[in-house]
Amino acid sequence: MDNMRNSFAALRYICLYPSYKGDERTPLLRNNVQRSEPTTTKGATFISSVFNLMNAIMGSGILGLAYAMANTGVLGFCILLVLVSSLSAYSIHLLLKLCEQTGINSYEEIGEKALQKPGKVLVGISIIMQNIGAMSSYLFILKSELPAAIYTLVEREHTVYDWYEDGRLLLILVTLCVVLPLSLCPKISFLGFTSSFSFFFMVYFAIVVVIKKWSIPCPLPYNVTTPSGGFQISNSSDSDCTPKLFVISSKSAYTIPTMSFSFLCHTAILPIYCELNQPSKARMQNVANVSIGLSSVLYLISALFGYLTFYAHVDSELLLGYDVYLPRDVMVITVRLAILFAVMLSVPLIHFPARKAAILLLFGGRPFSVLIHIFTTVVILGVVLLLAIFVPDIRNVFGVVGATTSTCLLFIFPGVFYLKLNAGPLKSFDSIGAILLVVFGFLMGIISLSFIVITWVQSS
């Protein structure tokens, strides 16, 4: 008990006084020494911590949840949403408990303490793959949405193919001119100012989805002219205008991975914990619960009304459906530009943890090197760019990343690390919960990935 008090005292000291802590790889407790505490520095407020965590939770996943609802049904989606969000909050509870017991404020270091070097490597690789998948999904949105956004702003009749209609070319230009320079900066703290807008962008997105539900008739119109000048023939009928409560198909395998992808915020939990004013496990758990709850509400609203707009014909990237039936709509244009702006400036922020984990795994504790910094940045962005260019559907990114790294970081690792490091009885509530969390993660990951591979094989 004394060790736990000392651990929490050291944790509170370093969380509140950054001049002491150095970087997040520094252990929060050294030799069980309790240090005296100054009284000058104040951490982040509860509200600002909620917004920071919501920004870590909400991202490109919100664009794919209407497609997930179309392939599970309204009730099926709601059940899975409650299940995944609750398990996400519970796995955060286990991580915070481990943080309190060990005095460590880094996901990789908790993995190392639990499973030695293999644990650190597993967490590092998972973080790299997860963030590469997230960046790929963001760049995929730029590839698909940026040409449509430019086209709607150009006032002229479509006669010939223009260069700005090539999403791949625009993606390469944006990556080289905007994303790469920002990612090369050793410090991009000024981008943190834009994160406060992300929540309001997502709220505006949900509002637009609700409003535009009544702007598109059902059944969907036939022979609609697309923004590229072609025609799309709809095969929608009156029977498609009734929402399905439960749907089971091969495409349903994408639902849980997409939700896991959409609720993963565990790599940001501990840094936000350290920024919190008067940090305590209970206070940070409340931050997590409020953030996950509000995110779930926005996810449900956007998914429900997106599904009720297009029903079975909803696109895996929701905004693309509005181009066909509401070309040059002002609200759709503004929400598209808002999301594109948020996505463009979010990629460098997501890139930083991936680069840090890659340098930590490949080069160990070497001092800062400009060559290593540039090399790692270019390689990671190159991989992300290739994935965004050649992956044909964003649901593939959500599905594979969600079924593998998201499942590990969200369910498996917190449960395994808790079982390894917790000194309490195996029959305790949290130990049983950790076992169930691990079992659920393994089952859902294996089942979802298997169905995704089968779907690929059948479609090819």
Side-chain angles (χ1 to χ4, degrees), residues 371-403:
L371 291 178
I372 292 176
H373 179 86
I374 295 176
F375 173 77
T376 310
T377 301
V378 172
V379 170
I380 292 177
L381 280 183
V383 173
V384 170
L385 186 60
L386 289 175
L387 287 174
I389 289 176
F390 292 106
V391 171
D393 198 324
I394 196 173
R395 68 172 186 171
N396 296 325
V397 177
F398 292 152
V400 174
V401 175

mmCIF file of all heavy atoms in Angstrom, residues 371-403:
data_model
loop_
_atom_site.group_PDB
_atom_site.id
_atom_site.type_symbol
_atom_site.label_atom_id
_atom_site.label_comp_id
_atom_site.label_asym_id
_atom_site.label_seq_id
_atom_site.Cartn_x
_atom_site.Cartn_y
_atom_site.Cartn_z
ATOM 1 N N LEU A 371 19.275 13.149 -39.669
ATOM 2 C CA LEU A 371 19.152 12.174 -40.747
ATOM 3 C C LEU A 371 18.135 11.087 -40.402
ATOM 4 O O LEU A 371 17.305 10.710 -41.237
ATOM 5 C CB LEU A 371 20.519 11.552 -41.048
ATOM 6 C CG LEU A 371 21.559 12.480 -41.682
ATOM 7 C CD1 LEU A 371 22.878 11.742 -41.882
ATOM 8 C CD2 LEU A 371 21.050 13.038 -43.003
ATOM 9 N N ILE A 372 18.209 10.556 -39.172
ATOM 10 C CA ILE A 372 17.243 9.534 -38.749
ATOM 11 C C ILE A 372 15.836 10.119 -38.734
ATOM 12 O O ILE A 372 14.871 9.473 -39.159
ATOM 13 C CB ILE A 372 17.625 8.978 -37.365
ATOM 14 C CG1 ILE A 372 18.928 8.174 -37.466
ATOM 15 C CG2 ILE A 372 16.512 8.113 -36.801
ATOM 16 C CD1 ILE A 372 19.433 7.658 -36.134
ATOM 17 N N HIS A 373 15.717 11.346 -38.254
ATOM 18 C CA HIS A 373 14.419 12.024 -38.184
ATOM 19 C C HIS A 373 13.800 12.151 -39.580
ATOM 20 O O HIS A 373 12.644 11.783 -39.799
ATOM 21 C CB HIS A 373 14.624 13.406 -37.556
ATOM 22 C CG HIS A 373 13.387 14.229 -37.448
ATOM 23 N ND1 HIS A 373 12.519 14.135 -36.395
ATOM 24 C CD2 HIS A 373 12.865 15.168 -38.291
ATOM 25 C CE1 HIS A 373 11.509 14.984 -36.578
ATOM 26 N NE2 HIS A 373 11.696 15.623 -37.714
ATOM 27 N N ILE A 374 14.584 12.647 -40.545
ATOM 28 C CA ILE A 374 14.073 12.832 -41.906
ATOM 29 C C ILE A 374 13.800 11.489 -42.568
ATOM 30 O O ILE A 374 12.752 11.305 -43.216
ATOM 31 C CB ILE A 374 15.080 13.651 -42.734
ATOM 32 C CG1 ILE A 374 15.203 15.065 -42.162
ATOM 33 C CG2 ILE A 374 14.657 13.702 -44.203
ATOM 34 C CD1 ILE A 374 16.252 15.913 -42.857
ATOM 35 N N PHE A 375 14.717 10.536 -42.422
ATOM 36 C CA PHE A 375 14.561 9.232 -43.045
ATOM 37 C C PHE A 375 13.290 8.541 -42.561
ATOM 38 O O PHE A 375 12.487 8.037 -43.370
ATOM 39 C CB PHE A 375 15.784 8.361 -42.737
ATOM 40 C CG PHE A 375 15.650 6.941 -43.195
ATOM 41 C CD1 PHE A 375 15.802 6.597 -44.525
ATOM 42 C CD2 PHE A 375 15.348 5.928 -42.279
ATOM 43 C CE1 PHE A 375 15.661 5.277 -44.951
ATOM 44 C CE2 PHE A 375 15.221 4.614 -42.686
ATOM 45 C CZ PHE A 375 15.371 4.290 -44.025
ATOM 46 N N THR A 376 13.075 8.517 -41.255
ATOM 47 C CA THR A 376 11.898 7.848 -40.697
ATOM 48 C C THR A 376 10.616 8.545 -41.132
ATOM 49 O O THR A 376 9.621 7.887 -41.480
ATOM 50 C CB THR A 376 11.974 7.816 -39.160
ATOM 51 O OG1 THR A 376 13.241 7.309 -38.752
ATOM 52 C CG2 THR A 376 10.875 6.943 -38.586
ATOM 53 N N THR A 377 10.630 9.871 -41.139
ATOM 54 C CA THR A 377 9.451 10.630 -41.565
ATOM 55 C C THR A 377 9.081 10.315 -43.011
ATOM 56 O O THR A 377 7.912 10.039 -43.324
ATOM 57 C CB THR A 377 9.705 12.142 -41.417
ATOM 58 O OG1 THR A 377 10.002 12.444 -40.054
ATOM 59 C CG2 THR A 377 8.489 12.938 -41.859
ATOM 60 N N VAL A 378 10.069 10.343 -43.899
ATOM 61 C CA VAL A 378 9.810 10.115 -45.327
ATOM 62 C C VAL A 378 9.337 8.681 -45.568
ATOM 63 O O VAL A 378 8.397 8.452 -46.357
ATOM 64 C CB VAL A 378 11.070 10.427 -46.149
ATOM 65 C CG1 VAL A 378 10.873 10.007 -47.605
ATOM 66 C CG2 VAL A 378 11.410 11.906 -46.077
ATOM 67 N N VAL A 379 9.957 7.708 -44.910
ATOM 68 C CA VAL A 379 9.569 6.316 -45.113
ATOM 69 C C VAL A 379 8.132 6.077 -44.665
ATOM 70 O O VAL A 379 7.326 5.459 -45.377
ATOM 71 C CB VAL A 379 10.532 5.370 -44.369
ATOM 72 C CG1 VAL A 379 9.986 3.944 -44.364
ATOM 73 C CG2 VAL A 379 11.902 5.385 -45.029
ATOM 74 N N ILE A 380 7.778 6.562 -43.479
ATOM 75 C CA ILE A 380 6.423 6.349 -42.964
ATOM 76 C C ILE A 380 5.396 7.021 -43.862
ATOM 77 O O ILE A 380 4.377 6.423 -44.241
ATOM 78 C CB ILE A 380 6.306 6.853 -41.514
ATOM 79 C CG1 ILE A 380 7.140 5.978 -40.575
ATOM 80 C CG2 ILE A 380 4.843 6.857 -41.067
ATOM 81 C CD1 ILE A 380 7.138 6.452 -39.142
ATOM 82 N N LEU A 381 5.648 8.275 -44.247
ATOM 83 C CA LEU A 381 4.696 8.971 -45.123
ATOM 84 C C LEU A 381 4.629 8.319 -46.497
ATOM 85 O O LEU A 381 3.571 8.303 -47.128
ATOM 86 C CB LEU A 381 5.093 10.440 -45.263
ATOM 87 C CG LEU A 381 4.687 11.367 -44.116
ATOM 88 C CD1 LEU A 381 5.092 12.801 -44.425
ATOM 89 C CD2 LEU A 381 3.194 11.295 -43.854
ATOM 90 N N GLY A 382 5.752 7.771 -46.971
ATOM 91 C CA GLY A 382 5.731 7.066 -48.245
ATOM 92 C C GLY A 382 4.837 5.841 -48.202
ATOM 93 O O GLY A 382 4.040 5.600 -49.125
ATOM 94 N N VAL A 383 4.945 5.067 -47.129
ATOM 95 C CA VAL A 383 4.082 3.889 -46.966
ATOM 96 C C VAL A 383 2.622 4.305 -46.885
ATOM 97 O O VAL A 383 1.734 3.710 -47.517
ATOM 98 C CB VAL A 383 4.492 3.089 -45.722
ATOM 99 C CG1 VAL A 383 3.493 1.971 -45.449
ATOM 100 C CG2 VAL A 383 5.894 2.515 -45.890
ATOM 101 N N VAL A 384 2.344 5.346 -46.110
ATOM 102 C CA VAL A 384 0.975 5.829 -45.952
ATOM 103 C C VAL A 384 0.415 6.302 -47.285
ATOM 104 O O VAL A 384 -0.738 6.014 -47.650
ATOM 105 C CB VAL A 384 0.933 6.971 -44.914
ATOM 106 C CG1 VAL A 384 -0.431 7.654 -44.915
ATOM 107 C CG2 VAL A 384 1.254 6.441 -43.526
ATOM 108 N N LEU A 385 1.216 7.027 -48.055
ATOM 109 C CA LEU A 385 0.773 7.544 -49.348
ATOM 110 C C LEU A 385 0.465 6.413 -50.321
ATOM 111 O O LEU A 385 -0.548 6.451 -51.042
ATOM 112 C CB LEU A 385 1.846 8.466 -49.925
ATOM 113 C CG LEU A 385 1.500 9.212 -51.221
ATOM 114 C CD1 LEU A 385 0.282 10.102 -51.026
ATOM 115 C CD2 LEU A 385 2.691 10.035 -51.686
ATOM 116 N N LEU A 386 1.320 5.395 -50.354
ATOM 117 C CA LEU A 386 1.074 4.253 -51.245
ATOM 118 C C LEU A 386 -0.216 3.533 -50.870
ATOM 119 O O LEU A 386 -0.994 3.142 -51.750
ATOM 120 C CB LEU A 386 2.261 3.288 -51.184
ATOM 121 C CG LEU A 386 3.559 3.775 -51.842
ATOM 122 C CD1 LEU A 386 4.680 2.765 -51.606
ATOM 123 C CD2 LEU A 386 3.363 4.001 -53.331
ATOM 124 N N LEU A 387 -0.456 3.349 -49.569
ATOM 125 C CA LEU A 387 -1.687 2.698 -49.140
ATOM 126 C C LEU A 387 -2.909 3.517 -49.543
ATOM 127 O O LEU A 387 -3.905 2.981 -50.041
ATOM 128 C CB LEU A 387 -1.679 2.488 -47.620
ATOM 129 C CG LEU A 387 -0.751 1.402 -47.085
ATOM 130 C CD1 LEU A 387 -0.738 1.425 -45.562
ATOM 131 C CD2 LEU A 387 -1.184 0.035 -47.583
ATOM 132 N N ALA A 388 -2.831 4.833 -49.332
ATOM 133 C CA ALA A 388 -3.970 5.693 -49.666
ATOM 134 C C ALA A 388 -4.239 5.720 -51.162
ATOM 135 O O ALA A 388 -5.393 5.828 -51.590
ATOM 136 C CB ALA A 388 -3.719 7.110 -49.149
ATOM 137 N N ILE A 389 -3.185 5.608 -51.982
ATOM 138 C CA ILE A 389 -3.357 5.662 -53.430
ATOM 139 C C ILE A 389 -3.934 4.366 -53.975
ATOM 140 O O ILE A 389 -4.840 4.368 -54.814
ATOM 141 C CB ILE A 389 -2.010 5.980 -54.117
ATOM 142 C CG1 ILE A 389 -1.614 7.433 -53.850
ATOM 143 C CG2 ILE A 389 -2.097 5.734 -55.628
ATOM 144 C CD1 ILE A 389 -0.252 7.801 -54.399
ATOM 145 N N PHE A 390 -3.438 3.241 -53.485
ATOM 146 C CA PHE A 390 -3.773 1.963 -54.112
ATOM 147 C C PHE A 390 -4.871 1.179 -53.410
ATOM 148 O O PHE A 390 -5.403 0.226 -53.988
ATOM 149 C CB PHE A 390 -2.513 1.094 -54.225
ATOM 150 C CG PHE A 390 -1.508 1.632 -55.193
ATOM 151 C CD1 PHE A 390 -0.339 2.237 -54.738
ATOM 152 C CD2 PHE A 390 -1.730 1.569 -56.550
ATOM 153 C CE1 PHE A 390 0.592 2.751 -55.625
ATOM 154 C CE2 PHE A 390 -0.802 2.083 -57.458
ATOM 155 C CZ PHE A 390 0.364 2.675 -56.986
ATOM 156 N N VAL A 391 -5.220 1.527 -52.170
ATOM 157 C CA VAL A 391 -6.340 0.842 -51.519
ATOM 158 C C VAL A 391 -7.637 1.336 -52.150
ATOM 159 O O VAL A 391 -7.913 2.542 -52.156
ATOM 160 C CB VAL A 391 -6.340 1.107 -49.996
ATOM 161 C CG1 VAL A 391 -7.624 0.586 -49.368
ATOM 162 C CG2 VAL A 391 -5.131 0.449 -49.343
ATOM 163 N N PRO A 392 -8.454 0.444 -52.696
ATOM 164 C CA PRO A 392 -9.631 0.885 -53.458
ATOM 165 C C PRO A 392 -10.796 1.361 -52.607
ATOM 166 O O PRO A 392 -11.667 2.068 -53.097
ATOM 167 C CB PRO A 392 -10.023 -0.364 -54.256
ATOM 168 C CG PRO A 392 -9.521 -1.500 -53.422
ATOM 169 C CD PRO A 392 -8.275 -1.019 -52.750
ATOM 170 N N ASP A 393 -10.861 0.970 -51.339
ATOM 171 C CA ASP A 393 -12.039 1.272 -50.527
ATOM 172 C C ASP A 393 -11.602 1.528 -49.093
ATOM 173 O O ASP A 393 -10.804 0.774 -48.525
ATOM 174 C CB ASP A 393 -13.032 0.108 -50.559
ATOM 175 C CG ASP A 393 -14.427 0.528 -50.112
ATOM 176 O OD1 ASP A 393 -14.516 1.377 -49.213
ATOM 177 O OD2 ASP A 393 -15.418 0.015 -50.664
ATOM 178 N N ILE A 394 -12.132 2.583 -48.494
ATOM 179 C CA ILE A 394 -11.747 2.942 -47.136
ATOM 180 C C ILE A 394 -12.169 1.879 -46.118
ATOM 181 O O ILE A 394 -11.562 1.743 -45.061
ATOM 182 C CB ILE A 394 -12.339 4.323 -46.753
ATOM 183 C CG1 ILE A 394 -11.636 4.883 -45.519
ATOM 184 C CG2 ILE A 394 -13.839 4.229 -46.529
ATOM 185 C CD1 ILE A 394 -12.051 6.302 -45.190
ATOM 186 N N ARG A 395 -13.195 1.095 -46.446
ATOM 187 C CA ARG A 395 -13.626 0.063 -45.512
ATOM 188 C C ARG A 395 -12.534 -0.984 -45.327
ATOM 189 O O ARG A 395 -12.465 -1.644 -44.292
ATOM 190 C CB ARG A 395 -14.907 -0.609 -45.992
ATOM 191 C CG ARG A 395 -14.738 -1.454 -47.240
ATOM 192 C CD ARG A 395 -15.982 -2.251 -47.561
ATOM 193 N NE ARG A 395 -15.734 -3.155 -48.686
ATOM 194 C CZ ARG A 395 -16.575 -4.085 -49.087
ATOM 195 N NH1 ARG A 395 -17.704 -4.256 -48.454
ATOM 196 N NH2 ARG A 395 -16.280 -4.857 -50.107
ATOM 197 N N ASN A 396 -11.644 -1.167 -46.346
ATOM 198 C CA ASN A 396 -10.540 -2.103 -46.209
ATOM 199 C C ASN A 396 -9.547 -1.638 -45.152
ATOM 200 O O ASN A 396 -9.002 -2.443 -44.392
ATOM 201 C CB ASN A 396 -9.830 -2.285 -47.554
ATOM 202 C CG ASN A 396 -10.726 -2.920 -48.590
ATOM 203 O OD1 ASN A 396 -11.560 -3.767 -48.267
ATOM 204 N ND2 ASN A 396 -10.587 -2.522 -49.848
ATOM 205 N N VAL A 397 -9.313 -0.316 -45.107
ATOM 206 C CA VAL A 397 -8.430 0.233 -44.081
ATOM 207 C C VAL A 397 -9.051 0.050 -42.705
ATOM 208 O O VAL A 397 -8.409 -0.434 -41.760
ATOM 209 C CB VAL A 397 -8.150 1.729 -44.354
ATOM 210 C CG1 VAL A 397 -7.280 2.317 -43.246
ATOM 211 C CG2 VAL A 397 -7.487 1.911 -45.700
ATOM 212 N N PHE A 398 -10.330 0.455 -42.557
ATOM 213 C CA PHE A 398 -11.011 0.282 -41.284
ATOM 214 C C PHE A 398 -11.031 -1.184 -40.856
ATOM 215 O O PHE A 398 -10.809 -1.510 -39.690
ATOM 216 C CB PHE A 398 -12.458 0.793 -41.380
ATOM 217 C CG PHE A 398 -12.567 2.282 -41.556
ATOM 218 C CD1 PHE A 398 -13.653 2.838 -42.209
ATOM 219 C CD2 PHE A 398 -11.596 3.135 -41.075
ATOM 220 C CE1 PHE A 398 -13.770 4.207 -42.383
ATOM 221 C CE2 PHE A 398 -11.695 4.504 -41.247
ATOM 222 C CZ PHE A 398 -12.785 5.039 -41.900
ATOM 223 N N GLY A 399 -11.314 -2.070 -41.810
ATOM 224 C CA GLY A 399 -11.473 -3.484 -41.483
ATOM 225 C C GLY A 399 -10.188 -4.128 -41.023
ATOM 226 O O GLY A 399 -10.133 -4.740 -39.953
ATOM 227 N N VAL A 400 -9.112 -4.015 -41.818
ATOM 228 C CA VAL A 400 -7.861 -4.692 -41.486
ATOM 229 C C VAL A 400 -7.215 -4.096 -40.249
ATOM 230 O O VAL A 400 -6.819 -4.822 -39.321
ATOM 231 C CB VAL A 400 -6.894 -4.636 -42.691
ATOM 232 C CG1 VAL A 400 -5.536 -5.207 -42.306
ATOM 233 C CG2 VAL A 400 -7.467 -5.398 -43.869
ATOM 234 N N VAL A 401 -7.091 -2.767 -40.196
ATOM 235 C CA VAL A 401 -6.471 -2.135 -39.030
ATOM 236 C C VAL A 401 -7.316 -2.353 -37.785
ATOM 237 O O VAL A 401 -6.803 -2.651 -36.705
ATOM 238 C CB VAL A 401 -6.258 -0.626 -39.289
ATOM 239 C CG1 VAL A 401 -5.721 0.058 -38.042
ATOM 240 C CG2 VAL A 401 -5.300 -0.426 -40.451
ATOM 241 N N GLY A 402 -8.631 -2.239 -37.926
ATOM 242 C CA GLY A 402 -9.507 -2.440 -36.776
ATOM 243 C C GLY A 402 -9.472 -3.856 -36.241
ATOM 244 O O GLY A 402 -9.536 -4.077 -35.030
ATOM 245 N N ALA A 403 -9.349 -4.858 -37.144
ATOM 246 C CA ALA A 403 -9.345 -6.255 -36.717
ATOM 247 C C ALA A 403 -8.010 -6.696 -36.139
ATOM 248 O O ALA A 403 -7.938 -7.733 -35.477
ATOM 249 C CB ALA A 403 -9.706 -7.160 -37.898
#
